[in-house]
Amino acid sequence: AQSVSQHNHHVILSEAASLELGCNYSYGGTVNLFWYVQYPGQHLQLLLKYFSGDPLVKGIKGFEAEFIKSKFSFNLRKPSVQWSDTAEYFCAVNDNDYKLSFGAGTTVTVRA
Amino acid sequence: EAQVTQNPRYLITVTGKKLTVTCSQNMNHEYMSWYRQDPGLGLRQIYYSMNVEVTDKGDVPEGYKVSRKEKRNFPLILESPSPNQTSLYFCASSSTGAGNTIYFGEGSWLTVV
């Protein structure tokens, strides 16, 4: 079974600051990588995903992530956050058995 | 509109009283799954199903049952709920194939007292 590690449990930052959330996974084979966001009181929504091709993936709402295979990492970035980015962010990984393994999540609080 | 629908969204129940959380998807997806979300633990998979009449255990199946009699429905059954099953539950579905997006329902808050 895979494990997924998210480095930060809670991140607090001000509007316009840059955001980077770390994600590492344990599986050494071919993987598909996802970032999901959960706004307060809502279900999970897909921010972006990687399964092949360009390792720099652009998603919705100005987010991007970079897959670095040698580091087993898939870090999420946004150059300038807004108050509305306050949410919980989950990194997830699956190999080809469709089971999605999630990290513990990172709560991001953006102060106006 | 593509949807994964769960019911009930909120439920408070007592220990030992059987309950079922329904899940239905309108995308003709083969794959369906149940997760529970607990603080600091992220989402953990309870059961999943690759197609009708095909179900398998996830990481935390104890205390739960599922069935997949129809492609669109995947109910989660708690035969004898206990307080440690108090959690937020999500149903999810996707088509099969590498990299396909998994769609989540809106979640069901379950409290067992």
Side-chain angles (χ1 to χ4, degrees), chain B:
Chain B
E1 181 189 354
Q3 274 190 326
V4 179
T5 304
Q6 300 177 221
N7 278 296
R9 296 287 317 283
Y10 304 92
L11 180 65
I12 301 174
T13 190
V14 296
T15 299
K17 184 176 181 183
K18 180 180 178 180
L19 69 92
T20 299
V21 186
T22 63
C23 174
S24 179
Q25 49 94 4
N26 64 358
M27 296 167 277
N28 201 36
H29 284 162
E30 296 87 4
Y31 176 83
M32 296 186 75
S33 181
W34 276 102
Y35 293 85
R36 59 178 289 173
Q37 183 181 5
D38 302 289
L41 297 176
L43 279 80
R44 294 177 293 168
Q45 191 178 51
I46 303 170
Y47 269 94
Y48 65 97
S49 169
M50 297 298 292
N51 215 323
V52 175
E53 302 293 0
V54 181
T55 63
D56 213 340
K57 295 177 180 179
D59 296 319
V60 288
E62 293 79 18
Y64 304 94
K65 287 174 58 177
V66 293
S67 69
R68 189 90 183 273
K69 293 183 170 51
E70 305 165 282
K71 198 171 188 180
R72 63 181 288 124
N73 295 324
F74 190 46
L76 179 69
I77 303 155
L78 286 72
E79 293 273 3
S80 183
S82 62
N84 66 10
Q85 292 179 296
T86 293
S87 188
L88 174 59
Y89 291 86
F90 286 101
C91 181
S93 76
S94 78
S95 56
T96 53
N100 281 334
T101 299
I102 293 180
Y103 294 85
F104 286 86
E106 294 197 344
S108 295
W109 283 99
L110 172 64
T111 301
V112 184
V113 298

Side-chain angles (χ1 to χ4, degrees), chain A residues 31-94:
Chain A
V31 293
N32 306 305
L33 300 153
F34 305 81
W35 275 98
Y36 282 86
V37 61
Q38 186 178 31
Y39 297 105
Q42 296 189 26
H43 62 98
L44 281 83
Q45 301 173 41
L46 182 68
L47 270 180
L48 47 81
K49 65 179 180 180
Y50 170 84
F51 58 94
S52 66
D54 189 343
L56 185 61
V57 180
K58 293 194 184 301
I60 61 171
K61 302 178 189 282
F63 285 91
E64 65 179 30
E66 185 175 13
F67 170 50
I68 303 179
K69 189 174 182 179
S70 60
K71 295 184 178 180
F72 299 91
S73 71
F74 190 55
N75 292 354
L76 180 71
R77 297 193 291 254
K78 184 170 183 177
S80 177
V81 296
Q82 300 171 314
W83 176 82
S84 58
D85 293 321
T86 294
E88 191 159 15
Y89 292 80
F90 293 94
C91 181
V93 177
N94 73 357

Side-chain angles (χ1 to χ4, degrees), chain A residues 5-28:
Chain A
S5 299
Q6 292 184 237
H7 309 307
N8 309 99
H9 179 63
H10 193 179
V11 173
I12 303 171
L13 60 168
S14 301
E15 277 194 310
S18 64
L19 172 69
E20 180 161 359
L21 302 181
C23 173
N24 286 90
Y25 61 93
S26 63
Y27 185 66

